[in-house]
Amino acid sequence: MTSARTVRNRLVASVATVLAATLGAGLLAVAPAGAAGGIEIEPDAAVVAAGSTGFLVSMNRYRGDEQFWIRYDTGARTPIDEATYFHVRENSVVGDHVLLSTSSEATVRDMGTGATVLRAPLERGERPAGLAGGAMFLQSWSPTNTLRMYDAEHGSRLVTGVPDDYRFVSVRQGTATHALLQYRDSDDVEHRGTIDLATGTVAEDYAAPLAPEWEFEAALSDTRIAWKEYDPASKKWSVVVHTRGTSEKQVFEAGTHPHVAFLGDRLVHADWDATQALSPSPLNALNIVDLKTGATTRLLDHVRAVAAAPDGTLLVTGGKIGTGDGVFRVSADGDSAPTARFLVDSGRPAELAEVSDPELPSGTIDFDKQYHVPFTQYFNHKGVKYRFTIRHGRTGRTFTYVENGYVGAGDDGRYPDGIPMGWGWGGSISGPGGYMDAFNGAYTWESVAESGAGLGTTPIKRSGSFTITRTQKPHDFDDNGSPDVLARDASGILRTHDSGAVGGGWQIYDRIEATGDIAGTGFADIVARDRTGVLWLYQGNGRNGFLGRVKVGGGWQTYEHLTGGSDFTGDGRPDLVAADKTGALYLYRATGDVNAPFATRKKIGTGWGIYNQLTATGNIAGAAPGDLLARDKDGVLWMYLGKGDGTFTGRTRIGGGFGRYSELIGAGDYDRDKKNDLLAVDPATKTTYVFRGTGQRYTPFNLTRSNTLLFKGGSYNLFS
């Protein structure tokens, strides 16, 4: 699938011929066969108004800007310079005439010839209120609240019949003799009405309390006036039709923010844009109601703009499934059924479709380098019911993302690649207590996209696979990259926070220490000392469990403290250090051999009896070798920087107040900032806190602790 960054379709001589035939003789000069140029329209464009020689289009329908006048005969574009003029709306166009304005002057330009046909200086506090017939309407908010009209024949005239205390007035083209009027009175009630163009007086005035304040969607014929309303009690939209000069009133249920127009004696209404809807409805279509018989004809499947042409037909921007998306000419001759002729193709289908290459996971993804996996598909509609599910092959655990309709908060309405759905996957899957970090290994995925409005009955499905990999982490027992803390309860059950219970019977040990991968299996291991002094090795299986235990040796009861997980010797394997009851410190270098996991011990220091806890942390101070923390009997924490040869530099004071913690755990990078952190268990609050690593030599931790949810509120007698 190719990217749809700029999709344009040029319909040259053949389309020009169709336009000539459908718009009527004399309205279109047909380009000769083979002529250069043609008609271009972008996928997000919408027709604002239709004239005799061309039409006004907004290339960005979400914002209403990027406006061009496009000629029917050549497709040539004339920009409406938004840096100079306000955004032109439908009430600023009559035929080929467009009302433009600077801060000091309003002008009317004939887009067919390029000539300025009317010019009026703006008085203080004035702004354009609209264009109707041959007159521009100008509203003044100060010093007087007036509405005046200005045309070539009469010059400037005040419009009479509008209350002096009106607000928010707008005027737009209605019929040859009357303009449409919108204003809000001093009681905040909306009004719709007409202005007699010959006399400059308000001819009709209807209170419309349910009409929307900022939307002048209304229509006028020689016999009827119509506008849209919203009832907050029922939360429904409708179109109200009054027969002019009588008390007759008709009300028709309508879609959200409906378009409103007349096609001869027929009412036309449609949902504002059904491609954004999340439920199907006949009101999403272009509904054409015969006001004499009540019969409804439905043309097109979705509509985003309706513009009345000078010959009484309509140019409708929208889509018809099986035909396409773009601009249609809708007409009705006498009592014959209304028809819609496809004129300009936007290059995208009317039904839901992918329009650009997706960003989906495949191959092998290294989660040491990235935590976010792109998972985005691009569609031509916003009203998409979208979901994707990622499934881990070994465990069957899943992550499901659901998005019902696109909401682009703060976006600028530009979607050159289509509407993005999916955003991405942050690397989490379902776990025992909610979501947890995703395991390493093979995954499959599948996605489904369906049109909320039923614009296309076949769901769009995709599927694929990928693999996640990471380097082994010393405290990762379930192979998902995140540090796991082991905790044992009073009954002897050992568990991790992420994956739950490891198993029972662990009460036979008086010390359990996470060591990292010392046996060469690729997963984190532990050593456990029983109450007779025998040390046992448990090789991790990467599934929150361990293989059968292997005896390391006896006599380990001589040691007061054990800690592992740091590579003190620089050989890439985590080692073990142990302090005996005399204060001597010994190094046990890991061998990678499960049957003899440690080399003969080496004495590397004395005087360590002043400490009541040792914690191997890995690299916390910026140098490659692993480091060691030691807490003295006064609760002061000290750091010994590893040299990489099994010895340490002189100690550096980190801070006091650490005596409150029963366990200090060097679990690795807890917060994913690529710096090792320190976890601390406070038995008084039954809370595990994190001191975040800084990577700095003399201040390796931020001493402001943060709460974690690790075993929050639980009762445990051993952590590692």
Side-chain angles (χ1 to χ4, degrees), residues 72-152:
Y72 293 126
D73 53 0
T74 65
R77 298 184 178 198
T78 300
I80 306 299
D81 189 350
E82 62 180 295
T84 304
Y85 306 114
F86 63 91
H87 296 335
V88 175
R89 303 191 184 279
E90 60 274 8
N91 68 316
S92 302
V93 184
V94 177
D96 287 355
H97 289 180
V98 177
L99 174 63
L100 306 170
S101 176
T102 66
S103 60
S104 60
E105 183 181 59
T107 60
V108 175
R109 181 187 299 171
D110 186 327
M111 301 305 298
T113 65
T116 297
V117 297
L118 193 63
R119 188 187 304 272
L122 294 178
E123 298 177 358
R124 183 162 63 94
E126 265 190 334
R127 68 168 184 85
L131 184 67
M136 64 173 74
F137 289 79
L138 306 171
Q139 175 192 9
S140 175
W141 282 344
S142 63
T144 59
N145 200 26
T146 60
L147 177 67
R148 69 183 178 112
M149 58 187 296
Y150 186 94
D151 59 30

Side-chain angles (χ1 to χ4, degrees), residues 286-298:
L286 188 73
N287 285 258
I288 304 175
V289 184
D290 189 320
L291 294 173
K292 297 177 181 177
T293 66
T296 298
T297 301
R298 293 190 172 96

Side-chain angles (χ1 to χ4, degrees), residues 482-697:
S482 65
D484 297 312
V485 174
L486 292 169
R488 185 184 65 190
D489 63 22
S491 67
I493 295 176
L494 192 68
R495 68 183 70 243
T496 64
H497 178 76
D498 266 359
S499 295
V502 174
W506 293 84
Q507 69 273 18
I508 65 172
Y509 300 110
D510 64 6
R511 187 65 192 169
I512 299 173
E513 183 65 30
T515 60
D517 179 19
I518 61 175
T521 61
F523 301 112
D525 307 323
I526 63 172
V527 292
R529 184 181 66 189
D530 66 24
R531 301 186 189 280
T532 67
V534 176
L535 192 69
W536 301 87
L537 168 66
Y538 284 86
Q539 294 175 265
N541 62 11
R543 303 183 181 186
N544 203 52
F546 302 97
L547 306 178
R549 67 180 187 175
V550 176
K551 184 177 181 180
V552 175
W556 287 77
Q557 70 274 17
T558 188
Y559 295 115
E560 192 75 21
H561 306 295
L562 301 172
T563 187
S566 282
D567 177 14
F568 297 121
T569 59
D571 62 359
R573 287 188 292 268
D575 306 305
L576 187 71
V577 292
D580 67 16
K581 295 176 182 179
T582 70
L585 186 68
Y586 293 90
L587 168 70
Y588 285 86
R589 181 179 58 83
T591 65
D593 181 355
V594 64
N595 295 310
F598 299 111
T600 303
R601 71 177 187 174
K602 176 182 179 181
K603 187 175 183 179
I604 56 174
T606 58
W608 289 77
I610 62 173
Y611 300 116
N612 59 19
Q613 187 162 154
L614 302 180
T615 303
T617 60
N619 169 25
I620 58 172
D627 305 319
L628 184 66
L629 297 179
R631 183 184 65 190
D632 66 25
K633 294 178 175 57
D634 294 324
V636 177
L637 192 65
W638 303 84
M639 178 183 69
Y640 286 85
L641 193 66
K643 295 181 178 179
D645 60 357
T647 63
F648 305 96
T649 63
R651 69 181 187 174
T652 299
R653 189 179 190 275
I654 292 177
F658 283 84
R660 75 185 72 178
Y661 302 112
S662 60
E663 297 285 349
L664 299 174
I665 305 166
D669 181 12
Y670 178 79
D671 59 2
R672 288 183 168 182
D673 65 351
K674 301 189 183 303
K675 301 180 182 69
N676 286 336
D677 307 306
L678 179 67
L679 297 175
V681 180
D682 187 341
T685 63
K686 294 184 178 181
T687 301
T688 301
Y689 297 93
V690 59
F691 291 89
R692 303 184 188 279
T694 66
Q696 300 299 311
R697 169 66 175 87

Side-chain angles (χ1 to χ4, degrees), residues 360-411:
L360 300 170
S362 63
T364 298
I365 301 171
D366 187 347
F367 262 32
D368 285 331
K369 298 179 179 178
Q370 67 180 77
Y371 294 125
H372 186 271
V373 177
F375 206 121
T376 305
Q377 293 173 255
Y378 298 91
F379 299 93
N380 56 341
H381 297 171
K382 282 189 173 183
V384 182
K385 293 183 177 180
Y386 179 80
R387 69 182 183 276
F388 68 77
T389 298
I390 294 172
R391 180 172 286 100
H392 184 235
R394 176 175 60 81
T395 65
R397 290 187 178 177
T398 61
F399 172 87
T400 298
Y401 174 88
V402 176
E403 190 172 358
N404 286 319
Y406 173 81
V407 178
D411 65 24

Side-chain angles (χ1 to χ4, degrees), residues 107-381:
T107 60
V108 175
R109 181 187 299 171
D110 186 327
M111 301 305 298
T113 65
T116 297
V117 297
L118 193 63
R119 188 187 304 272
L122 294 178
E123 298 177 358
R124 183 162 63 94
E126 265 190 334
R127 68 168 184 85
L131 184 67
M136 64 173 74
F137 289 79
L138 306 171
Q139 175 192 9
S140 175
W141 282 344
S142 63
T144 59
N145 200 26
T146 60
L147 177 67
R148 69 183 178 112
M149 58 187 296
Y150 186 94
D151 59 30
E153 180 181 357
H154 302 94
S156 179
R157 292 179 291 168
L158 288 179
V159 176
T160 60
V162 182
D164 292 338
D165 53 2
Y166 77 85
R167 294 184 295 147
F168 310 123
V169 69
S170 291
V171 179
R172 62 181 292 178
Q173 176 70 7
T175 67
T177 59
H178 288 79
L180 272 164
L181 171 68
Q182 171 198 25
Y183 73 90
R184 172 166 282 208
D185 66 22
S186 59
D187 294 324
D188 285 334
V189 175
E190 283 290 314
H191 286 251
R192 302 293 184 264
T194 64
I195 298 173
D196 187 315
L197 293 172
T199 64
T201 61
V202 175
E204 299 161 272
D205 192 336
Y206 301 87
L210 297 181
E213 176 180 351
W214 299 111
E215 299 177 41
F216 191 11
E217 193 71 41
L220 184 68
S221 72
D222 291 335
T223 57
R224 293 179 176 88
I225 184 172
W227 62 82
K228 64 182 179 184
E229 294 188 343
Y230 176 74
D231 183 355
S234 64
K235 297 182 179 180
K236 290 184 177 180
W237 288 86
S238 62
V239 175
V240 177
V241 181
H242 287 267
T243 300
R244 298 171 65 185
T246 74
S247 60
E248 182 182 355
K249 173 183 175 182
Q250 296 170 280
V251 180
F252 300 90
E253 184 181 1
T256 303
H257 297 276
H259 304 283
V260 179
F262 283 122
L263 185 65
D265 290 330
R266 297 171 172 91
L267 170 69
V268 178
H269 66 85
D271 184 278
W272 175 72
D273 184 2
T275 67
Q276 301 191 38
L278 289 174
S279 59
S281 169
L283 301 175
N284 292 338
L286 188 73
N287 285 258
I288 304 175
V289 184
D290 189 320
L291 294 173
K292 297 177 181 177
T293 66
T296 298
T297 301
R298 293 190 172 96
L299 303 177
L300 311 189
D301 294 295
H302 58 82
V303 175
R304 56 182 181 270
V306 177
D311 64 347
T313 62
L314 302 175
L315 287 190
V316 180
T317 313
K320 181 175 178 58
I321 295 174
T323 300
D325 177 273
V327 180
F328 294 78
R329 178 181 176 271
V330 177
S331 61
D333 296 326
D335 294 330
S336 62
T339 61
R341 186 186 299 272
F342 195 29
L343 298 181
V344 183
D345 192 341
S346 73
R348 290 182 177 172
E351 63 271 21
L352 177 66
E354 285 188 86
V355 293
S356 290
D357 292 331
E359 301 168 35
L360 300 170
S362 63
T364 298
I365 301 171
D366 187 347
F367 262 32
D368 285 331
K369 298 179 179 178
Q370 67 180 77
Y371 294 125
H372 186 271
V373 177
F375 206 121
T376 305
Q377 293 173 255
Y378 298 91
F379 299 93
N380 56 341
H381 297 171

